[in-house]
Amino acid sequence: MRFMMFMLPNEPGQLDPGSPQVPTAEAVSEMTKYNDELVKAGVMLTGEGLHPQNEGHRITFSGGKRTVIDGPYTEAKEAIGGYWIIQTKTKEEAVEWAKRVPQVGETDFTIELRQIFEMDEFPPDVQAAAGHE
């Protein structure tokens, strides 16, 4: 089973384009230790930190039109700060790994854990349309 874990910073400053966006050396060190644990356990497939949303773009699709919106997004209540893709035998194991993400200092955040669809979970006609029979 593959899962994506999203890090959602709860700090209001994370959405502020003028706020510092670089993690501390301590935070990077703790996260590196955690990532090494995931790799040693054979669980981590990939994971990266993301630049702040004020450097990003959203492309909306509506009525056949595509509109590009440059960040930051005034209506945004949450921003993804980073992600991991892990592979575990059970959902419970994935939850346990998510609970082990280090919290450094007083910075609050949320980890959202979502299972990734596997092709064999889709009906046969969908698998065939995707070239997986």
Side-chain angles (χ1 to χ4, degrees):
M1 301 172 85
R2 292 181 305 148
F3 293 86
M4 181 172 258
M5 297 190 312
F6 300 98
M7 178 176 281
L8 305 168
N10 292 341
E11 298 285 320
Q14 292 291 324
L15 302 178
D16 176 9
S19 71
Q21 302 293 332
V22 179
T24 66
E26 181 186 14
V28 170
S29 175
E30 290 300 311
M31 207 57 73
T32 299
K33 289 177 193 172
Y34 173 71
N35 290 343
D36 287 346
E37 289 179 38
L38 288 168
V39 170
K40 287 177 187 165
V43 171
M44 186 163 166
L45 299 177
T46 189
E48 304 290 339
L50 300 173
H51 280 261
Q53 68 169 236
N54 64 341
E55 297 177 22
H57 310 280
R58 287 187 177 170
I59 297 83
T60 60
F61 297 75
S62 178
K65 290 177 54 179
R66 289 153 177 82
T67 304
V68 177
I69 303 165
D70 296 334
Y73 319 111
T74 55
E75 73 284 356
K77 294 181 181 149
E78 294 180 329
I80 298 172
Y83 71 94
W84 297 262
I85 295 180
I86 62 172
Q87 187 166 14
T88 61
K89 292 183 183 357
T90 66
K91 183 187 301 186
E92 292 76 20
E93 182 184 358
V95 168
E96 288 305 313
W97 279 108
K99 287 168 47 177
R100 292 177 62 183
V101 171
Q103 182 174 11
V104 180
E106 308 250 342
T107 302
D108 291 339
F109 60 89
T110 298
I111 297 294
E112 182 175 331
L113 181 69
R114 306 264 305 270
Q115 187 171 351
I116 297 171
F117 273 108
E118 303 295 345
M119 189 54 66
D120 64 3
E121 294 180 81
F122 291 100
D125 62 325
V126 175
Q127 291 182 38
H132 295 89
E133 298 184 57

